[in-house]
């Protein structure tokens, strides 16, 4: 089979370095002979078109990217938001880097479809003015801005955030291109944009954990006006922006007035019974017991010893898997991309701005029969 000439091997080397792998590891990953890769990296003809296409797909680039002359312009390849996340977490895995870029492309699709529908103002992102140095006051303002009721769950928090012009994605529980692997410590990230920010949440074993991640990432967007990527350690941080985001999330999810319904005299002596003790509040507010306990700790109603003992007890419990199911394939885009994104794609399809094939691509490559089922779901059929 004919080998391609003029492959820019420096661009392959740059992409490998960007993803933290070697050309040899890339060849092994893609099933390309090591000798073929060696020839290419030496500036010789050593790769077929199909092999180069595999390389391009692996790095999320077009084939022409590796045929163009000259070095890589980082500002054109990676957005400012992507570079912000990469600087915060230099150890980002290749799959997570791909996910971030995929999310950025999906946001661009959404904005473009809104423009085609001449519907860019209805959900314009117009955040309130907040005092960055006062997370408690900011949380109170944002809770009213979101129009939250006294009782909520993850879905209602998500809908309230989306209604203010943000996109909220949640990674898949099963293995796939939209998954944040369960072994990866990253719990969520946010991509700042002045017109349409995006929050991405890792699917976790319970919705209550996802609620805190959502509001923590919202804090970065509203308080700090920057992109951010967070793991479990960030959610326990007492420093800088992470401290502020944690305080903001705690006060928004559990305002001071909520704490008045919790009776200290009823607190069990055994930390293993704290979940049971706080069960009514956990259900009503759609959050974990740990979030409530942290607020009680900050309010001086719980000791550090009690709080730490609870966390240690929780850490020893078996982790529930969040692998998800594909039984109802047509519902997945809604869980993954949120209601507003799915509605926008379907509206664009019904207005003949895009084809069925395009709609399928935007909705996680749904099969046409599943796409029709999704349409029926939104039509109430």
């Amino acid at each position: 089979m004919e080998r391609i000439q003029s492959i820019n091997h420096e661009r392959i080397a740059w992409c490998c370095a960007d993803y933290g792998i070697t050309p040899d590891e890339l060849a092994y990953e893609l099933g390309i002979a090591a000798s073929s890769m060696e020839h290419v990296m030496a500036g010789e003809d050593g790769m077929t078109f199909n092999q180069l296409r595999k390389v391009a797909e692996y790095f999320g680039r077009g084939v022409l990217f590796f045929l163009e002359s000259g070095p890589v312009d980082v500002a054109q390849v990676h957005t400012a938001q992507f570079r912000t996340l990469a600087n915060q977490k230099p150890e980002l895995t290749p799959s997570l880097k791909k996910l971030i870029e995929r999310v950025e492309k999906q946001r661009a699709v959404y904005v473009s479809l809104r423009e085609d529908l001449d519907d860019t103002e209805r959900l314009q992102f117009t955040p309130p003015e907040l005092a960055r140095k006062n997370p408690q006051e900011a949380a109170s303002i944002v809770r009213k801005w979101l129009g939250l009721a006294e009782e909520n769950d993850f879905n209602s928090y998500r809908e309230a955030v989306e209604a203010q012009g943000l996109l909220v994605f949640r990674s898949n529980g099963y293995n796939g291109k939209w998954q944040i692997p369960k072994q990866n410590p990253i719990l969520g990230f946010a991509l700042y944009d002045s017109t349409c920010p995006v929050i991405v949440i890792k699917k976790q074993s319970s919705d209550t954990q996802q609620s805190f991640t959502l509001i923590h990432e919202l804090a970065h967007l509203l308080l700090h006006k920057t992109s951010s990527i967070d793991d479990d350690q960030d959610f326990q941080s007492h420093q800088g922006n992470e401290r502020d985001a944690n305080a903001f999330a705690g006060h928004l999810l559990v305002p001071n007035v909520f704490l008045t319904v919790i009776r200290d005299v009823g607190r069990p002596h055994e930390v293993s019974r704290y979940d049971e003790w706080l069960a009514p509040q956990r259900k009503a507010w759609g959050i974990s017991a740990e979030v409530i306990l942290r607020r009680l700790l900050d309010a001086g109603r719980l000791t550090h010893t009690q709080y730490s003992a609870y966390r240690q007890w929780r850490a020893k419990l078996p982790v529930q898997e969040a692998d998800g199911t594909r039984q109802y394939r047509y519902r997945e885009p809604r869980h993954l991309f949120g209601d507003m994104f799915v509605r926008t794609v379907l509206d664009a399809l019904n207005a003949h701005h895009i084809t069925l094939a395009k709609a399928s691509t935007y909705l996680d490559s749904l099969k046409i029969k599943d796409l029709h089922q999704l349409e029926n779901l939104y039509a109430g059929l």
Side-chain angles (χ1 to χ4, degrees), residues 6 13 19 34-35 42 174 192 231 238 316 323 332 339 355:
S6 303
Y19 275 61
S35 58
Y174 56 84
Y192 181 77
D231 54 31
H238 299 279
K316 295 178 181 178
D323 289 332
E332 288 175 11
D339 184 70
T355 63

Side-chain angles (χ1 to χ4, degrees), residues 268-279:
H269 293 292
E270 302 85 2
V271 295
S272 60
R273 294 181 56 199
Y274 280 7
D275 284 354
E276 178 186 353
W277 168 50
L278 297 173

Side-chain angles (χ1 to χ4, degrees), residues 11-13 15-16 19 21-33 37 41 47 51 54-56 58-59 66 98:
R11 292 196 168 202
I12 294 180
C15 286
C16 286
Y19 275 61
I21 62 174
T22 66
D24 287 343
E25 290 171 335
L26 174 65
Y28 178 81
E29 184 77 18
L30 300 180
I32 298 174
M37 184 63 71
M41 300 311 293
M47 193 175 291
Q51 289 173 331
K54 288 182 179 180
V55 172
Y58 183 85
F59 292 120
F66 297 99
K98 290 180 186 178

Side-chain angles (χ1 to χ4, degrees), residues 95-139:
S95 63
L96 198 50
K97 287 186 176 182
K98 290 180 186 178
L99 176 61
I100 294 169
E101 292 184 322
R102 196 172 290 120
V103 168
E104 291 185 315
K105 292 177 181 178
Q106 201 78 331
R107 188 198 75 84
V109 165
Y110 175 80
V111 172
S112 177
L113 293 180
R114 280 288 176 195
E115 292 174 350
D116 291 342
L117 293 167
D118 194 23
D119 193 21
T120 56
E121 294 185 2
R122 186 166 67 91
L123 290 176
Q124 188 72 25
F125 174 60
T126 52
E129 290 293 327
L130 301 174
R132 177 173 177 174
K133 295 183 179 181
N134 192 334
Q136 179 177 347
E137 178 184 332

Side-chain angles (χ1 to χ4, degrees), residues 137-252:
E137 178 184 332
S140 178
I141 294 172
V142 172
R143 190 175 177 92
K144 293 177 182 177
W145 178 63
L146 295 175
L148 294 175
E150 290 190 1
E151 295 189 3
N152 288 282
D153 57 18
F154 171 74
N155 289 327
S156 64
Y157 288 126
R158 181 181 192 175
E159 291 169 2
V161 172
E162 288 185 329
Q164 294 299 334
L166 298 89
L167 288 174
V168 179
F169 294 172
R170 179 172 63 175
S171 71
N172 279 329
Y174 56 84
N175 187 31
K177 64 181 182 180
W178 293 102
Q179 184 198 44
I180 300 177
K182 57 186 178 183
Q183 67 271 19
N184 194 301
I186 298 299
L187 297 178
F189 61 88
L191 297 172
Y192 181 77
D193 182 85
S194 60
T195 58
C196 182
V198 187
I199 295 173
V200 179
I201 301 163
K202 180 179 183 179
K203 183 175 176 61
Q204 299 173 59
S205 59
S206 70
D207 282 357
T208 59
Q209 295 172 304
Q210 295 165 172
S211 296
F212 189 86
T213 301
L214 170 60
I215 304 305
H216 179 100
E217 299 304 332
L218 181 64
H220 285 306
L221 295 175
L222 298 182
L223 287 179
H224 311 133
K225 293 182 172 56
T226 187
S227 301
S228 185
I229 185 165
D230 298 288
D231 54 31
D232 185 62
Q233 290 185 350
D234 295 318
F235 287 2
Q236 301 299 325
S237 177
H238 299 279
Q239 298 180 347
N241 288 353
E242 300 304 338
R243 173 198 60 207
D244 295 342
N246 288 328
F248 174 93
H251 282 285
L252 187 144

